[in-house]
Amino acid sequence: MRPNASLACAFYEIGLFTPRSERFKAGAPVPGAAEVLSDNAVTAAFVGAMGWLCAYILNIYKDDRIQKTKLTIDHTAEQIRDFYGPLVSLTDQLDSLASVIHLISFNNNNPGITTTFYNKFFLPVHKEINRILSTKIHLLEGSEIPDSFKLYFEHYAAEHSVHELNSSGISLGGSIDVPPYPSEFYWDVRKGFQTVLDRYEASVRRVRVRSFWR
């Protein structure tokens, strides 16, 4: 089939193109060579113009999709760099510190060692986690804050308050129960991290493929 045959068939279906075999019935005057060439030129120009228009629209659509994908990459990269990446690292540090302080408490009953360990190691990590959750929460994946994040705030606020009072010589004894560190917090951070990491890699692959075929 000729290159423009399928397009001509489509124009015929919607009434934009009528074959000469139907325009010139039996007994009608046969067009001259100049008229035939003129008809062919008009048809070729029309088909060419439609092809250019289609290509133009497709390019605009493709450029728009690429731009949207790049915006997704930028946002996802910010989520990884400023929110989930640091939280993954900090929660790993908390796990390691918890193991160490457990061994210290088991082998030594001196509360001064525990207090010093908390001030120098636990507290800075908790403060950094609290800072990220307080200032970068807009980078959280999804529209709802996981319950474990709220439980972490409660744990940190209570533990830090009790520790500060004890450091000031005010002993509360067992009158306040500090909420435990929520283990789900560790896993919710990693679940969000994996989600945004997968989206980042998929978006980068789409941009590379589309740029290759431009």
Side-chain angles (χ1 to χ4, degrees), residues 5-209:
S6 59
L7 191 58
C9 291
F11 293 154
Y12 173 72
E13 291 292 334
I14 61 175
L16 293 178
F17 176 72
T18 304
R20 282 194 297 273
S21 59
E22 294 187 10
R23 284 185 288 165
F24 302 105
K25 304 296 182 180
V30 178
E35 184 178 349
V36 171
L37 290 175
S38 176
D39 284 350
N40 288 340
V42 171
T43 301
F46 180 76
V47 171
M50 291 300 294
W52 178 87
L53 180 62
C54 290
Y56 179 73
I57 293 174
L58 286 174
N59 278 332
I60 291 178
Y61 173 75
K62 184 167 61 175
D63 289 343
D64 182 64
R65 289 291 299 274
I66 290 176
Q67 184 61 31
K68 288 180 178 178
T69 303
K70 288 182 177 179
L71 290 175
T72 298
I73 290 174
D74 291 342
H75 176 68
T76 306
E78 186 180 8
Q79 286 180 291
I80 295 171
R81 181 185 64 246
D82 296 338
F83 191 75
Y84 283 105
L87 286 180
V88 167
S89 175
L90 291 167
T91 49
D92 276 340
Q93 290 181 53
L94 278 183
D95 264 18
S96 299
L97 291 172
S99 299
V100 173
I101 201 170
H102 176 74
L103 291 174
I104 291 175
S105 300
F106 182 78
N107 296 314
N108 194 314
N109 294 324
N110 186 347
I113 295 178
T114 303
T115 300
T116 301
F117 189 89
Y118 181 86
N119 286 335
K120 289 188 174 295
F121 302 105
F122 257 109
L123 188 57
V125 174
H126 275 302
K127 283 185 174 180
E128 183 62 13
I129 291 176
N130 189 65
R131 184 194 68 79
I132 292 172
L133 293 180
S134 300
T135 61
K136 304 290 185 179
I137 197 64
H138 63 284
L139 298 175
L140 176 72
E141 181 70 7
S143 58
E144 294 185 3
I145 299 176
D147 290 339
S148 64
F149 282 53
K150 302 173 186 176
L151 293 174
Y152 172 79
F153 277 123
E154 294 177 5
H155 165 75
Y156 169 73
E159 183 181 72
H160 186 52
S161 299
V162 170
H163 175 75
E164 286 295 309
L165 290 172
N166 288 336
S167 298
S168 302
I170 303 174
S171 178
L172 300 175
S175 59
I176 294 181
D177 291 329
V178 176
Y181 173 79
S183 59
E184 297 84 2
F185 179 65
Y186 179 92
W187 298 110
D188 283 340
V189 166
R190 277 149 185 78
K191 180 180 178 181
F193 176 71
Q194 191 61 52
T195 298
V196 297
L197 185 61
D198 290 344
R199 183 172 63 246
Y200 178 82
E201 292 177 348
S203 299
V204 170
R205 284 196 298 270
R206 283 197 296 270
V207 169
R208 286 173 178 169
V209 170

